[in-house]
Structures are given as structure tokens and as C-alpha cells.
């Protein structure tokens, strides 16, 4: 789903390279944008052909036809496109709050637009293929996955943050990626790496000592903060730990949505070249690095009943005892034909647990607003968010959110 995305060739490349991990007979790209589908689908076929993959690639704007007979359905969509993202990243700044597509008021707006659409897709998948697995990469992944699981769907949420850290740390340490195991814990886009294990030994202290400056620069956080925390936070924690600084930055430069929209125009022009048969280098700037490899590994575990450990978004079910069982957390989990079951987690330090609990409460209210609508529910979610939390801001942001998203909110 969302097969016409400019990002899709990254996924295609992963399927082609990792065909022994996930043997693929047919891949169907589904998207309402027929013009994009032609460009992306054509490139996808050329990538498969160049790499000698025997699988068949087709595409359609008909959702029901696309999911018919599917073993797994990967969802990567953006309701409202980059234009909606541009709004998510700009109007919150007017209140001095961060403008971002998964965090704060912008993240709530995206959740409200997205959850009903994804649930509709999931229901149609369930009617046609009750046994099919849904792998969600659509942001905000935590809230969307919680919506899917609450509705009883066979679903697992996936993010590329953990695999990105694994590959980065492996490169710095000079070891193979599969030799690196992460103690990755928290919520989607709100996680910390509490240990980095290589050969049965936690090498995080020496990683920070020898490569802390490089890691901090990549995260755009102070090296001293990493040393004080003793962990490596997700780069999304920058919105919390350096909120006001980030707001000042965002007010002085073009939005990320504007940058991506420009990239997409260039990428689509490239995809139309009949000689292009590989993902272009520009796609690496689009974001989502290593998602294809994570998606292949997760899907192979679900369909192959392997029991492999993957970092995914799954129901808490007592893993973090201070959270409700129906909260969705992002941790290493054993994945097989029954789904994803989080592995045991050491007690979370109060410094991290407090923020996780706060954002979990916000996500609960955000899902309520997405499912039931209503100005008051939107207001409560914004008031609960740790980056907002003031009545005047929550009231104003509620009005702004509704005004900018009327066409996507059935209850308005």
C-alpha cells in the first residue's frame, strides 16, 4: 500500500537483493496515483530484471484487487501527501511549538488523518485474506499500530531507527551488523539504546568513549549529553531535550516537507528514464535508510515462523509494568507465525520511564481522538503532550489543527 511512493524503489531493491531470505512470487504495488504507479512500477520491474529476480511485479489503483491473495501487506502511505506534511511542520511553530510530522501537534494531525484510512485498508485486507499479516511503516507508527491491534488485526509496526543504529554502530566498531545486538527500549520515535552487545559483551561504554563525538554529531545533540545519560537516544529525542533550540532552527529554514517535495520531483523524473534499473543515489537523502532490509527480515519471520528477534512495535502486555498492557512499545521481540512477543526488559530508569509514561498517555488520547473525533478529544490529547501541556497553547493548536485538516476529518 502506497506503492507509488518515491521511496518504493528502496523496498524493491531490498526484495531483489534478499530474495533468499524472502522468496517472492508476486509483488503488487497499490496506490490511487496511477501516474506515479506507472513510473515506480516500471522502475521496480527493471530493478528485479537487472538483479535476476524471478518474481512478478504488477500494480493497480484497485485496493481490493491488489490485496486479493496476499500473504503480507506492507503499508507505507501519507494521507494528504507532502502538502499536508508541510502544514504539520509549519503551523505549530506559530505557537512556539515544534512542527514535526510524528511529534507534537503535527504528529497528532497526521495520526488523525491516517488512522481511519489505515483501519479501512486493514478491514478490507481481513475480508479478503483473514490470515494475511499487516506490516505498518506508516507514521506515527506507534499510534497506527495500536489502532490496528486494538481492532484485532494481525499487525506489527516497523521503524528503521533500530536497524539504522545497528548498522552505524557496526561500522564504527568494525564488525558485521548481525554481530551487534541492541537493548533498544521505549516507544516509537522515543527510544534509547541502553546497551550495545558484541560477542556477549556490552561495548556501549567504549563506543561512547571512542566514537561519542561522531554519534553525537549524527544525532545533532551535545556529546556531553550522551555522556551524562550513558545511553544513545533516538534522534527524535532532540525534539524533547532541545525543544526551544529546534524551534528556533525550524523558523529559519525551509521545512523538511519542502525539501522532500523537491527531491520527489527529481526522483520521479529519474524513474521515468527507461535506462534506469537501480535505485538512484538521491533516494538515500529521502530518508528511511535500511527499511527494506528490516521489512524483509520481519516479513520473512512472520511468514516463515522463524522466531527471530526483531526490533518492532508490539503490544506491551506487561513488558514495561508501568504501562497498560494495550500500549504499543518498541523493543526487541521474538517474531514467528503468531506475531511479535516482546522479550523481557530491565526496569526502565525514572529519567526515561517518566517520559515514556507521559507520551503513552498522549498516544491513548490521540487514538481516542482519531477513532471518535471531536474538538474536546483533540484538545485533551494536545494538553497531555509533554511538548505542549498548556491550556492556551492546546486551545489554539486545536483550532489550527482542525482548520488545516478539515478535508481529512470526517467529523468536522
Amino acid at each position: 500500500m502506497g506503492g507509488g511512493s518515491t521511496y518504493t524503489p528502496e523496498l524493491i531493491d531490498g526484495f531483489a537483493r534478499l530474495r533468499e531470505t524472502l522468496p517472492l512470487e508476486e509483488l503488487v504495488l497499490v496506490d490511487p496515483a496511477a501516474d506515479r504507479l506507472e513510473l515506480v512500477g516500471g522502475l521496480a520491474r527493471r530493478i528485479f530484471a537487472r538483479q535476476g529476480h524471478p518474481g512478478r511485479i504488477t500494480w493497480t489503483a484497485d485496493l481490493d484487487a491488489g490485496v486479493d491473495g496476499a500473504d503480507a501487506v506492507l503499508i507505507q502511505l501519507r494521507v494528504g501527501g507532502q502538502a499536508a506534511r508541510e502544514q504539520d511542520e509549519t503551523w505549530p511553530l506559530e505557537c512556539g511549538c515544534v512542527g514535526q510530522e510524528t511529534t507534537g501537534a503535527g504528529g497528532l494531525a497526521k495520526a488523525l488523518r491516517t488512522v481511519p484510512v489505515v483501519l479501512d485498508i486493514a478491514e478490507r485486507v481481513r475480508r479478503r485474506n483473514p490470515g494475511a499479516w499487516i506490516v505498518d511503516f506508516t507514521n506515527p507508527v506507534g499510534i497506527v499500530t495500536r489502532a490496528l491491534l486494538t481492532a484485532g488485526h494481525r499487525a506489527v509496526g516497523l521503524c528503521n531507527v533500530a536497524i539504522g543504529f545497528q548498522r552505524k554502530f557496526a561500522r564504527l566498531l568494525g564488525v558485521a551488523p548481525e554481530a551487534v545486538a541492541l537493548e533498544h527500549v521505549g516507544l516509537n520515535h522515543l527510544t534509547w539504546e541502553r546497551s550495545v552487545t558484541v560477542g556477549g559483551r556490552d561495548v556501549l561504554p567504549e563506543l561512547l568513549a571512542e566514537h561519542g563525538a561522531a554519534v553525537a554529531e549524527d544525532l545533532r545533540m551535545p556529546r556531553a549529553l550522551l555522556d551524562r545519560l550513558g545511553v544513545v537516544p533516538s534522534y527524535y529525542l532532540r525534539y524533547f531535550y532541545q525543544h526551544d533550540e529546534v524551534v528556533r532552527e525550524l523558523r529559519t529554514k525551509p521545512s523538511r516537507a519542502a525539501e522532500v517535495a523537491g527531491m520527489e520531483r527529481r526522483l520521479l523524473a529519474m524513474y521515468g528514464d527507461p535506462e534506469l534499473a537501480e535505485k538512484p543515489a538521491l533516494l538515500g537523502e529521502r530518508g528511511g535508510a535500511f527499511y527494506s532490509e528490516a521489512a524483509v527480515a520481519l516479513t520473512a519471520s512472520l511468514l516463515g515462523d522463524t522466531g527471530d528477534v526483531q526490533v518492532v512495535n508490539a503490544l506491551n502486555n506487561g513488558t514495561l509494568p508501568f504501562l497498560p498492557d494495550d500500549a504499543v512499545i518498541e523493543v526487541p521481540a521474538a517474531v514467528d507465525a503468531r506475531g511479535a512477543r516482546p522479550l523481557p526488559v530491565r526496569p526502565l530508569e525514572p529519567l526515561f520511564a517518566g517520559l515514556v509514561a507521559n507520551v503513552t498517555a498522549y498516544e491513548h488520547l490521540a487514538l481516542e481522538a482519531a477513532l471518535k473525533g471531536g474538538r474536546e478529544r483533540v484538545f485533551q490529547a494536545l494538553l497531555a503532550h509533554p511538548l505542549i501541556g498548556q491550556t492556551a497553547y492546546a486551545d489554539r493548536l486545536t483550532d489550527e489543527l482542525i482548520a488545516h485538516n478539515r478535508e481529512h476529518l470526517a467529523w468536522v
Side-chain angles (χ1 to χ4, degrees):
M1 313 306 307
S5 166
T6 55
Y7 185 72
T8 296
E10 167 67 28
L11 190 60
I12 301 298
D13 177 74
F15 282 138
R17 286 185 293 103
L18 302 169
R19 54 184 174 273
E20 292 185 5
T21 303
L22 183 66
L24 209 85
E25 294 177 5
E26 181 178 11
L27 177 64
V28 184
L29 308 180
V30 182
D31 201 295
D35 54 339
R36 281 183 170 232
L37 272 180
E38 289 290 334
L39 295 173
V40 175
L43 174 58
R45 283 180 175 171
R46 296 193 297 273
I47 290 173
F48 263 35
R50 171 170 285 189
Q51 299 199 31
H53 195 298
R56 177 174 176 238
I57 294 181
T58 61
W59 53 87
T60 179
D62 185 334
L63 190 154
D64 292 320
V67 302
D68 196 23
D71 295 300
V73 177
L74 279 63
I75 303 181
Q76 50 163 44
L77 53 84
R78 183 182 298 280
V79 179
Q82 294 299 331
R85 179 180 181 174
E86 169 80 18
Q87 293 182 355
D88 294 343
E89 293 178 344
T90 52
W91 54 263
L93 294 174
E94 298 170 7
C95 293
C97 296
V98 70
Q100 211 276 330
E101 64 162 341
T102 65
T103 299
L108 177 60
K110 191 172 195 302
L112 297 184
R113 294 193 303 268
T114 305
V115 165
V117 174
V118 171
L119 287 179
D120 177 65
I121 291 170
E123 286 297 335
R124 293 162 76 171
V125 171
R126 180 155 56 186
R127 286 199 297 268
R128 297 230 167 202
N129 305 288
W133 278 102
I134 293 174
V135 175
D136 178 67
F137 192 61
T138 299
N139 280 322
V141 168
I143 296 172
V144 173
T145 302
R146 187 169 182 173
L148 287 165
L149 293 172
T150 299
H153 295 291
R154 290 163 57 84
V156 182
L158 182 63
C159 182
N160 68 320
V161 168
I163 193 172
F165 273 132
Q166 182 201 44
R167 300 307 170 87
K168 188 178 305 173
F169 296 161
R171 187 173 63 252
L172 292 171
L173 295 168
V175 300
E178 55 270 20
V180 177
L182 302 177
E183 188 184 6
H184 177 103
V185 61
L187 310 176
N188 179 242
H189 290 184
L190 195 84
T191 51
W192 298 264
E193 311 304 330
R194 293 201 295 170
S195 71
V196 179
T197 302
V198 177
R201 187 171 66 88
D202 180 13
V203 299
L204 179 57
E206 63 195 67
L207 177 72
L208 288 175
E210 297 174 15
H211 304 287
V215 174
E217 182 179 4
D218 204 40
L219 296 173
R220 300 183 64 198
M221 293 184 187
R223 162 70 186 274
L225 176 61
L226 271 61
D227 291 335
R228 295 171 74 178
L229 294 177
V231 301
V232 178
S234 159
Y235 47 87
Y236 285 92
L237 265 299
R238 186 167 185 261
Y239 298 116
F240 293 83
Y241 293 157
Q242 300 166 269
H243 177 271
D244 292 354
E245 178 181 336
V246 171
V247 168
R248 286 192 293 271
E249 290 177 5
L250 294 175
R251 282 173 161 171
T252 59
K253 66 178 185 178
S255 68
R256 174 63 178 166
E259 293 176 0
V260 172
M263 277 184 225
E264 288 194 336
R265 288 190 291 271
R266 294 162 60 195
L267 286 168
L268 288 171
M270 293 178 183
Y271 295 170
D273 179 358
E275 300 301 315
L276 183 66
E278 61 185 4
K279 63 177 184 179
L282 177 62
L283 189 55
E285 301 177 28
R286 172 70 176 76
F290 306 114
Y291 162 53
S292 61
E293 296 175 29
V296 166
L298 174 57
T299 307
S301 295
L302 291 168
L303 301 182
D305 195 24
T306 64
D308 292 352
V309 175
Q310 318 267 348
V311 174
V312 297
N313 286 261
L315 287 175
N316 178 46
N317 282 337
T319 307
L320 297 178
F322 60 92
L323 296 183
D325 285 347
D326 64 350
V328 165
I329 60 175
E330 188 172 286
V331 294
V335 182
D336 56 25
R338 294 173 293 170
R341 294 178 307 285
L343 301 180
V345 172
R346 288 187 295 142
L348 200 58
E349 297 86 341
L351 179 61
F352 311 133
L355 188 53
V356 167
N358 193 335
V359 175
T360 297
Y362 152 75
E363 290 189 346
H364 171 83
L365 294 169
L367 183 55
E368 286 285 298
L371 294 175
K372 300 175 183 177
R375 186 189 187 281
E376 189 61 21
R377 291 189 180 93
V378 175
F379 168 79
Q380 289 184 13
L382 291 170
L383 190 63
H385 200 293
L387 297 184
I388 300 166
Q390 297 185 53
T391 302
Y393 287 169
D395 256 327
R396 181 178 170 184
L397 289 169
T398 298
D399 292 336
E400 292 285 342
L401 186 155
I402 293 172
H404 284 90
N405 290 275
R406 286 183 178 278
E407 63 183 294
H408 302 293
L409 305 178
W411 50 269
V412 174

